[in-house]
Amino acid sequence: MAKIGINIATGSLQQAEMIVGIDLGTTNSLVAIIHPETKQPVALREFNTSSLVPSIVHFDEFGNPTVGEVARQFLELDPQRTIFSAKRLMGKSYKDIQDNAGYFAYKVIDDNTESLVKVQVGDQFFSPIELSSFILKELKQRAEHILKTPVTKAVITVPAYFNDAQRQATRDAGKLAGLDVMRIVNEPTAASLAYGLGLKADQEATIAVYDLGGGTFDVSILQISNGIFEVLSTNGDTYLGGDDLDRAIMQFWMQAGGITMEDLKQHQALAQGLRLKAEEAKKHLSSHDRFSTDWNGEVLSITKTEFEGLIAPLIAKTIDCCGRALADAKLTADKIDTIVMVGGSTRVPAVKEAVSAFFGKPVNDSVNPDEVVALGAAIQADILAGNNKDFLLLDITPLSLGIETMGGLMDVLVPRNAKIPTSVGRQYTTHVDGQGSMRISVYQGERDLVKDNRKLAEFNLTGIPGMPAGLPKVEVQFLIDADGILIVKAKELRSGVEQSIEVKPQFGLTDEEVEQMLLDSLTNAKQDMVTRALVEARTEGEQILAVTEKFISKNQSLLTQSELVDTAAAMQALQMALTMEDKNLIQSKIEELNEISRPFAERAMDQAVSGALKGKSI
Ligand code: AMP
């Protein structure tokens, strides 16, 4: 297993190098580094500007993206082409987000399946990974501009509750932006590091991290011992944040001035103006007792006491979440040693007071709450770069490990740089009715197609009882022990049949070969992503055709003549599209077929339709 860093830019092996820390946030993102001279973490900013880059992507009519402050101006002007909160879509299917679909002002494709969501802008389709990669690319470019040096390596933070798919999606976004993602770190862990917690080897502590941002709230309870952070519990509300505080002030003023929602709906610009005034008031009240302004000739004012009355129920909600997080961690408030505040909204004094009262001790708020996560990511990056000699790096996997899925795609189970020992499991399913065996092919490497990676082993899981496609649940498990030996197990969960194999992942690979594989993955990232998107669209298209065909032959009587004709036409159009190298065309034909088939599929409530599309198939 590798312990040394490889400089991809120069091709040299070295111990010390610049790795940036990135906080890829729902509302704002930023980059931080350890300053080479002061050795202190700093957020990068262009002269006289904010370090925060709004996590917003706007596409012009030709599909060219712009990111950040410029894109933000289009939120109201061009809502269908202005993508905000892409982080909320990472690793999610439409089913995961459908209850909140109204939140997104742009078009999230409703395909009624469990495959990953896509966003439609004009005639282009984007995955949340691509959208996030635009943000990361902008951050990378800014950092390079400020630092006057190429930036190719990063530590990126994610919420503690992100699952495996969401973490992998974040890694992929980094790769697509031309970044070698050295480590994915939990946001609360990063925030704790920024306060120096966990940096001493013998430190033991229990920490609560309270993170109230622009649109989301979460609280995490962490335990540090021997320099290792463990997340004991998380809780929160993914639709509660500073925006709700602004809305409370807006409503207060609307009531006072007899303004209705209807009035505002008719005057988009007025509504936007009022929202900005409300946010200004909120920020002002963090350090003053009253706020007063002119709005179209009217005086709007609010006192701190009034504001605190308005937001008391919202703060109480966050405190309830803290209580639940403690209960899940099987702890009481007095067992928490340190409370760390994260997110711009924790600047509100009433928030700090409520949190401090709940835990019975003062909170840590000395580090800028907007920057604290990125600063911690920079500290983690510095440790990985080998600059912090007090820290021993744990053994890591030098290349990603995964298996082949439909269409020859690489599905990574253990990402490169994962700490070992480790164990990861993921479920797969079959793609043909009655499929009795499944070939598990294990690969090592960073490319999207297995043909470009290195095959390590292969075996057949046989004896799967005959079931319709999509029904078997095959759990594939990768276990890597402390010596770097990989054991791959596959088990069909309904029948219990299982099979396993042992591999030595790095066998026969020199450092130079590992390095070459990394270089290839970065140079080919864009093309790989295009190919992967095309293969995935084709696989999805083929599955939908198969399922629709099966459905129609079974349920013909439920369909009207015109439905049958329309469906046949849409199927034919999709079939044609599958022969071309155009994923946007395939996606739009899938979408058209879905539009036509949705009403009768719902009518028949056929489980097979949704059931057969669950999970990746092999
Ligand atoms: P974040 O997602 O962490 O960037 O949080 C941004 C949120 O913090 C927005 O809702 C801002 O309005 C809010 N915010 C920024 N500064 C202040 C302040 N001084 N007082 C209260 N809220 C603030």
Side-chain angles (χ1 to χ4, degrees):
M1 294 288 116
K3 255 184 200 163
I4 40 172
I6 297 163
N7 185 329
I8 295 194
T10 63
S12 65
L13 295 177
Q14 59 177 55
Q15 303 286 346
E17 60 195 309
M18 168 80 70
I19 308 177
V20 299
I22 296 182
D23 173 3
L24 180 61
T26 309
T27 337
N28 293 306
S29 300
L30 69 155
V31 187
I33 58 158
I34 299 296
H35 195 284
E37 276 140 41
T38 65
K39 308 287 178 214
Q40 293 303 307
V42 281
L44 295 180
R45 68 185 75 229
E46 306 262 12
F47 182 66
N48 257 347
T49 61
S50 163
S51 58
L52 302 184
V53 177
S55 307
I56 300 174
V57 189
H58 173 258
F59 294 92
D60 68 12
E61 56 185 313
F62 308 108
N64 303 313
T66 45
V67 173
E69 217 41 76
V70 183
R72 179 156 64 176
Q73 325 218 316
F74 289 99
L75 273 182
E76 263 87 18
L77 290 172
D78 196 9
Q80 297 188 340
R81 299 182 150 272
T82 312
I83 316 302
F84 60 93
S85 284
K87 186 175 177 179
R88 293 182 189 277
L89 302 174
M90 285 294 252
K92 296 281 178 87
S93 70
Y94 188 79
K95 283 200 169 153
D96 293 329
I97 58 132
Q98 63 186 356
D99 291 345
N100 294 302
Y103 171 89
F104 304 96
Y106 45 87
K107 187 165 183 203
V108 182
I109 300 297
D110 171 6
D111 57 1
N112 201 27
T113 71
E114 302 208 3
S115 43
L116 297 178
V117 290
K118 275 163 227 89
V119 168
Q120 185 175 7
V121 179
D123 54 8
Q124 285 181 295
F125 291 80
F126 297 101
S127 69
I129 296 177
E130 288 171 283
L131 296 168
S132 295
S133 83
F134 291 128
I135 299 170
L136 289 169
K137 214 177 274 170
E138 171 73 20
L139 295 173
K140 173 173 154 41
Q141 280 166 3
R142 265 178 207 233
E144 289 176 336
H145 188 243
I146 296 167
L147 297 171
K148 308 275 181 290
T149 170
V151 170
T152 54
K153 297 186 169 201
V155 166
I156 304 181
T157 58
V158 296
Y161 56 78
F162 256 29
N163 63 25
D164 184 42
Q166 294 171 301
R167 284 164 201 263
Q168 188 57 41
T170 307
R171 276 181 181 279
D172 290 345
K175 187 159 103 179
L176 192 55
L179 289 169
D180 182 11
V181 182
M182 304 298 290
R183 184 72 57 89
I184 294 284
V185 178
N186 288 328
E187 290 162 8
T189 301
S192 303
L193 285 172
Y195 276 97
L197 300 162
L199 288 177
K200 287 198 199 76
D202 54 354
Q203 191 173 29
E204 305 257 329
T206 311
I207 307 166
V209 181
Y210 179 100
D211 182 349
L212 188 61
T216 63
F217 167 67
D218 49 276
V219 52
S220 315
I221 310 291
L222 309 178
Q223 172 97 53
I224 329 174
S225 77
N226 302 322
I228 294 178
F229 284 82
E230 189 189 350
V231 180
L232 298 183
S233 66
T234 64
N235 209 291
D237 184 335
T238 44
Y239 291 87
L240 174 65
D243 300 345
D244 298 283
L245 308 188
D246 303 343
R247 214 166 294 126
I249 300 181
M250 260 177 94
Q251 282 163 358
F252 173 77
W253 284 337
M254 283 162 66
Q255 248 170 14
I259 311 162
T260 64
M261 258 334 210
E262 273 313 303
D263 297 338
L264 288 186
K265 269 194 194 131
Q266 289 178 3
H267 301 281
Q268 273 277 330
L270 271 189
Q272 168 68 351
L274 191 62
R275 203 189 59 73
L276 290 175
K277 289 283 184 195
E279 187 177 3
E280 191 187 328
K282 172 186 75 176
K283 290 185 180 175
H284 186 82
L285 292 175
S286 288
S287 48
H288 299 83
D289 285 335
R290 65 181 304 120
F291 174 85
S292 194
T293 187
D294 176 87
W295 181 62
N296 297 316
E298 269 186 66
V299 177
L300 297 175
S301 61
I302 183 166
T303 66
K304 188 174 173 186
T305 317
E306 284 167 332
F307 174 57
E308 289 180 352
L310 297 176
I311 63 170
L314 299 173
I315 298 180
K317 262 196 193 174
T318 69
I319 298 296
D320 287 347
C321 292
C322 294
R324 281 196 289 273
L326 275 183
D328 288 346
K330 303 201 169 42
L331 291 173
T332 46
D334 58 302
K335 294 284 184 299
I336 301 296
D337 303 305
T338 310
I339 305 135
V340 169
M341 302 298 264
V342 181
S345 304
T346 60
R347 290 202 178 87
V348 175
V351 169
K352 284 188 219 182
E353 285 155 22
V355 176
S356 161
F358 176 77
F359 288 103
K361 51 176 70 79
V363 298
N364 281 295
D365 61 353
S366 56
V367 181
N368 179 335
D370 287 317
E371 295 181 347
V372 62
V373 167
L375 297 177
I379 294 173
Q380 174 73 58
D382 197 49
I383 294 171
L384 287 176
N387 296 336
N388 191 331
K389 299 280 184 255
D390 297 341
F391 248 78
L392 270 185
L393 279 193
L394 296 163
D395 273 347
I396 52 168
T397 55
L399 291 167
S400 302
L401 296 164
I403 65 168
E404 175 176 359
T405 53
M406 273 292 288
L409 291 179
M410 171 87 172
D411 198 38
V412 172
L413 278 99
V414 179
R416 138 180 167 68
N417 277 332
K419 273 184 248 170
I420 61 164
T422 187
S423 132
V424 183
R426 193 174 296 165
Q427 283 187 13
Y428 297 88
T429 189
T430 52
H431 78 281
V432 193
D433 286 346
Q435 189 173 330
S437 75
M438 206 183 242
R439 180 175 290 266
I440 310 288
S441 306
V442 183
Y443 284 84
Q444 178 181 42
E446 309 310 308
R447 303 286 300 274
D448 284 82
L449 294 180
V450 291
K451 72 173 176 53
D452 299 318
N453 288 330
R454 195 165 167 264
K455 190 189 253 178
L456 293 178
E458 189 167 74
F459 65 94
N460 272 319
L461 176 66
T462 50
I464 302 173
M467 282 183 253
L471 272 192
K473 278 190 185 163
V474 175
E475 164 107 359
V476 174
Q477 236 198 340
F478 276 35
L479 302 143
I480 307 179
D481 67 15
D483 298 324
I485 305 293
L486 168 72
I487 296 167
V488 181
K489 289 185 180 167
K491 181 174 184 176
E492 203 290 302
L493 299 178
R494 292 180 199 272
S495 59
V497 290
E498 67 175 292
Q499 197 91 38
S500 73
I501 197 169
E502 195 174 286
V503 217
K504 259 200 177 138
Q506 224 193 343
F507 184 71
L509 271 191
T510 63
D511 280 348
E512 286 70 30
E513 283 167 322
V514 169
E515 194 178 342
Q516 189 56 47
M517 289 174 85
L518 293 178
L519 256 171
D520 287 348
S521 80
L522 284 181
T523 22
N524 293 298
K526 180 82 197 166
Q527 186 51 45
D528 271 10
M529 190 71 176
V530 171
T531 313
R532 174 182 281 272
L534 184 64
V535 172
E536 280 175 354
R538 277 198 185 134
T539 305
E540 190 182 338
E542 278 161 11
Q543 278 177 328
I544 284 171
L545 280 178
V547 167
T548 313
E549 210 163 83
K550 194 160 114 186
F551 178 83
I552 289 185
S553 65
K554 260 209 270 176
N555 300 292
Q556 204 153 16
S557 58
L558 290 173
L559 274 61
T560 66
Q561 192 57 33
S562 79
E563 276 173 341
L564 281 173
V565 173
D566 290 349
T567 310
M571 286 174 74
Q572 199 174 26
L574 175 55
Q575 194 87 58
M576 285 291 290
L578 287 180
T579 62
M580 313 219 220
E581 306 272 315
D582 182 347
K583 74 139 189 185
N584 284 321
L585 181 70
I586 299 174
Q587 286 299 349
S588 67
K589 295 302 165 201
I590 290 176
E591 185 55 14
E592 280 168 31
L593 178 56
N594 270 328
E595 283 298 326
I596 293 171
S597 63
R598 186 173 302 131
F600 58 76
E602 275 167 13
R603 214 157 57 221
M605 292 285 287
D606 190 312
Q607 288 305 315
V609 173
S610 55
L613 287 179
K614 269 180 208 150
K616 293 187 184 168
S617 50
I618 294 178

